Amino acid sequence: MNLLVLTGLVIGVLAFIFSMLGLGGAMVYIPAFTWLGFDMKTVAIPTGLLLNGVTALSAATYYLRAKMVDIRGSVPLIVTSLIAAPIGALVTPYAPRGQQTAG
């Protein structure tokens, strides 16, 4: 079976399951891409995060339409995430690399 077809089938099934759960699936997409032989840094992580966003957005759309989302409770989380996520990405190059030991 063609690797692209196999990848599409695996990711499609995972997206279906995680969308029903209302979650993104990056925690599974990234290892799946890696196990299928894709490069971790240039393919698996970026594509996994993109699929994570698409899956979560599709679930959020459904749950919003079904009036299953507490809008007042979610607004502070959304605003905080929109502010903190880019800051975290900007300071990532300054984070220490390598193994840290307790002590």
Side-chain angles (χ1 to χ4, degrees), residues 49-95:
L49 291 175
L50 174 68
L51 289 171
N52 187 63
V54 169
T55 304
L57 185 62
S58 70
T61 303
Y62 173 80
Y63 290 129
L64 278 168
R65 286 183 185 162
K67 299 192 186 317
M68 297 172 67
V69 177
D70 176 17
I71 300 293
R72 287 183 44 207
S74 62
V75 168
L77 298 172
I78 293 168
V79 170
T80 305
S81 295
L82 286 173
I83 293 169
I87 293 170
L90 289 172
V91 300
T92 298
Y94 306 108

Side-chain angles (χ1 to χ4, degrees), residues 18 23-33 44-45 47-53 55:
F18 280 103
L23 302 169
M27 64 215 160
V28 175
Y29 296 143
I30 294 170
F33 280 131
I45 292 174
T47 307
L49 291 175
L50 174 68
L51 289 171
N52 187 63
T55 304

Side-chain angles (χ1 to χ4, degrees), residues 9-50:
L9 289 173
V10 168
I11 298 304
V13 169
L14 291 173
F16 179 78
I17 292 168
F18 280 103
S19 184
M20 285 192 319
L21 296 172
L23 302 169
M27 64 215 160
V28 175
Y29 296 143
I30 294 170
F33 280 131
T34 304
W35 292 331
L36 290 168
F38 292 98
D39 181 60
M40 172 85 82
K41 188 174 182 179
T42 60
V43 177
I45 292 174
T47 307
L49 291 175
L50 174 68

